[in-house]
Amino acid sequence: MRALVIVHDHLSTAGHVGERLAERGYELDELLVVPAERYTTPDVDVAFPAAQDYGLILTLGAPWSVARRNAWIEAELALLRSAHRAGVPVLGICFGGQALATALGGGIEAAPRFELGWSSLTTDAPELVGPGPWFQFHGERWLLPPGARELARNDVASQAFVCGRSWGVQFHPEVTPEVLQAWFDEDGAAIAAEVGVDPERLVAELRADLPAVRARARVLVDAFLDHIAGSGPNDGTGSHMSA
């Protein structure tokens, strides 16, 4: 059982989400889109594998905007559309959720404010998306694609939607203290200063609450696999590109 994990930048990992997918029997094939040396010039050439080669696709966050619509973003949108049409389950996180919404006919727009830190959600489906708190790190939000059902929201953005076997979440269930610190060390500290939050405090809070953060992520992945992905993973035994 194989899952394609689209890692957009070298600072990010699948974290708690990848950990739970592995525990549930998935072999994770990571595809790094933008290598470290191209972080500031991310318009790279990427060959994405065929969606049908996998039983599941996980697409993570990114420091760039889907609105950039460069060659690899367009290629990823095509991959996500192909997966959706083929019934391959997709879980999109933050940028990944915005890309999924765009691929399925929605879009993105600027959020009314940059959201950085912990947020509780209003959820219509607590069995799928709990109220949190969940960690947020985004300045844009998606516009729901046709036929999608919104599952959760807060005062800044739609926070979760489902469309067939495709599921997008705006928050970061995967984030670990090490990854969050790396984001701040790279360019997130400037964003934190602009919105008036303390990076050290956020990392400390994440570390202190790590057992609960991990538990919420595990419940979320289980809900995705059991209720959204449906009858179970495809074999995913075809050829593929690996990171």
Side-chain angles (χ1 to χ4, degrees):
M1 297 183 292
R2 293 169 48 227
L4 174 65
V5 181
I6 303 174
V7 183
H8 295 103
D9 66 275
H10 70 289
L11 303 172
S12 301
T13 72
H16 311 304
V17 171
E19 180 183 82
R20 186 56 175 165
L21 287 174
E23 291 174 349
R24 290 289 301 263
Y26 283 88
E27 177 186 349
L28 307 184
D29 292 350
E30 291 192 356
L31 173 64
L32 176 62
V33 176
V34 178
E37 65 271 16
R38 293 297 303 272
Y39 186 84
T40 59
T41 56
D43 296 329
V44 298
D45 294 324
V46 180
F48 287 93
Q52 293 87 340
D53 289 346
Y54 290 91
L56 182 148
I57 295 175
L58 169 64
T59 176
L60 301 177
W64 308 289
S65 172
V66 175
R68 192 180 187 97
R69 299 298 285 264
N70 58 14
W72 69 257
I73 291 177
E74 292 289 0
E76 182 171 340
L77 297 183
L79 170 68
L80 298 180
R81 278 192 295 270
S82 174
H84 181 74
R85 291 168 181 163
V88 177
V90 177
L91 175 57
I93 293 175
C94 198
F95 174 99
Q98 294 170 4
L100 179 62
T102 303
L104 301 185
I108 61 166
E109 64 180 7
R113 61 178 174 86
F114 199 102
E115 193 170 18
L116 175 53
W118 300 96
S119 172
S120 295
L121 310 183
T122 299
T123 174
D124 299 334
E127 73 281 7
L128 299 177
V129 184
W134 300 102
F135 196 84
Q136 309 277 355
F137 203 140
H138 66 101
E140 294 179 325
R141 61 186 183 183
W142 61 58
L143 303 172
L144 288 172
R149 174 192 170 199
E150 185 180 74
L151 300 175
R153 68 204 65 81
N154 66 6
D155 63 338
V156 175
S158 173
Q159 291 288 335
F161 75 88
V162 61
C163 189
R165 300 178 85 189
S166 298
W167 196 13
V169 297
Q170 184 59 74
F171 48 87
H172 285 279
E174 85 290 4
V175 71
T176 66
E178 294 75 20
V179 167
L180 182 57
Q181 185 64 63
W183 290 349
F184 284 135
D185 289 344
E186 184 64 36
D187 48 22
I191 297 172
E194 289 179 8
V195 301
V197 298
D198 179 2
E200 290 186 6
R201 177 178 59 80
L202 290 177
V203 173
E205 288 174 350
L206 177 56
R207 184 169 285 111
D209 202 33
L210 198 56
V213 170
R214 182 181 291 116
R216 286 193 291 269
R218 290 165 63 90
V219 169
L220 188 82
V221 172
D222 286 347
F224 172 64
L225 295 179
D226 296 338
H227 300 291
I228 306 300
S231 58
N234 301 322
D235 289 336
T237 55
S239 63
H240 69 286
M241 295 283 293
S242 61

